[in-house]
Amino acid sequence: MSGEISLTGKRSGSGSSPELRASHADRDRVVDVLRIAAGDGLLTADELDERLEAALSARTVGALAELTADLPAVSVSTGTAVAEIKDVLRINGVHGGAVKRVGRWAVPRRLELATAWCEVTLDFTQAVITQALQIDMNMAGKKLTLITKPGIVVDAGALSLVHSKIKSRQAPDHGTPITLRVELVGTMAHGRVAVRPPRRTFGQWLLRRAHVPFCGRLTPSL
């Protein structure tokens, strides 16, 4: 096929046609745009779910273009406020250091952790998510913390623990569709793995307390 396909599903070039058949790569690019848009708050969870289903079943480039026509142009590699999404990201750390990935960071397709007595925190709550993630671990000592949100599932079934432990307290999904599946593989020795939702702020704690019903016994006045 002639011409290049943009991330919005539109094909450039004078000989373009909206009836050109869409390839798997075309669908994948539009899926990436939709997920980034949802991460920016441009699409609700229901809208994302509906458009993802339509993107995966679209047969033409024109059908894909309709799914992103009302969204701003976004580049997966150099888009607005989005870092380049890498195939492999390697994190090294030794002896008492701390490595954090927080805020709007781009989740790679594979993450290699090679650390010794170095604490690592990966916060996925505001991360740009476009695919599943495999974390290859070669860690000794300290702690790996994964901060999740509804729609993110962590699977540690293939992780080998040597004098280590894992504590998983994943965010309740409430029927939220899965947007990211994280698979932990490799080895953790003499350390800990913690999977948890973000901690509540003081304001959120007060709001929750205000909705807790009173269950004590009322003593009638004499």
Side-chain angles (χ1 to χ4, degrees), residues 5-10 29-40 42 68 70-83 85 104 128 130:
I5 300 172
S6 71
L7 286 174
T8 58
K10 300 180 179 69
R29 292 187 188 99
V30 172
V31 165
D32 287 348
V33 171
L34 293 174
R35 285 179 171 166
I36 290 174
D40 287 338
L42 300 175
T68 57
D70 59 344
L71 300 175
V74 177
S75 170
V76 173
S77 59
T78 58
T80 54
V82 178
I85 295 178
R104 286 187 56 75
V128 177
T130 62

Side-chain angles (χ1 to χ4, degrees), residues 1-220:
M1 295 181 186
S2 61
E4 295 181 355
I5 300 172
S6 71
L7 286 174
T8 58
K10 300 180 179 69
R11 181 176 291 272
S12 63
S14 58
S16 63
S17 168
E19 296 306 317
L20 290 175
R21 305 289 289 190
S23 67
H24 291 312
D26 297 336
R27 297 185 189 93
D28 289 344
R29 292 187 188 99
V30 172
V31 165
D32 287 348
V33 171
L34 293 174
R35 285 179 171 166
I36 290 174
D40 287 338
L42 300 175
L43 297 174
T44 66
D46 289 340
E47 289 173 327
L48 175 63
D49 223 20
E50 181 180 348
R51 295 195 191 195
L52 286 178
E53 183 177 354
L56 294 174
S57 60
R59 294 186 177 182
T60 66
V61 172
L64 289 174
E66 293 178 3
L67 300 175
T68 57
D70 59 344
L71 300 175
V74 177
S75 170
V76 173
S77 59
T78 58
T80 54
V82 178
E84 179 183 359
I85 295 178
K86 301 179 178 179
D87 286 328
V88 181
L89 175 63
R90 184 175 178 85
I91 294 178
N92 298 308
V94 293
H95 301 298
V99 177
K100 293 184 178 182
R101 290 291 186 273
V102 298
R104 286 187 56 75
W105 64 286
V107 177
R109 292 169 177 80
R110 186 160 60 90
L111 180 61
E112 296 180 352
L113 294 180
T115 65
W117 305 100
C118 174
E119 188 160 324
V120 179
T121 300
L122 303 177
D123 187 339
F124 295 102
T125 55
Q126 298 181 46
V128 177
I129 298 167
T130 62
Q131 64 276 310
L133 170 65
Q134 177 177 302
I135 301 180
D136 295 326
M137 297 174 55
N138 181 15
M139 296 184 65
K142 291 289 186 175
K143 180 181 179 183
L144 169 64
T145 302
L146 304 178
I147 303 175
T148 66
K149 62 181 179 180
I152 297 179
V153 176
V154 178
D155 179 4
L159 181 64
S160 176
L161 300 176
V162 180
H163 301 294
S164 301
K165 61 182 180 180
I166 182 169
K167 182 177 181 181
S168 180
R169 186 166 58 90
Q170 302 192 45
D173 57 23
H174 301 300
T176 304
I178 296 176
T179 57
L180 177 65
R181 187 178 298 277
V182 181
E183 183 182 11
L184 303 181
V185 301
T187 303
M188 165 64 89
H190 305 285
R192 292 183 295 159
V193 177
V195 181
R196 64 170 177 82
R199 293 190 173 93
R200 289 195 298 269
T201 64
F202 183 66
Q204 291 171 329
W205 181 82
L206 287 178
L207 186 62
R208 184 174 182 273
R209 292 277 295 179
H211 287 83
V212 175
F214 179 76
C215 299
R217 174 180 296 178
L218 295 176
T219 302

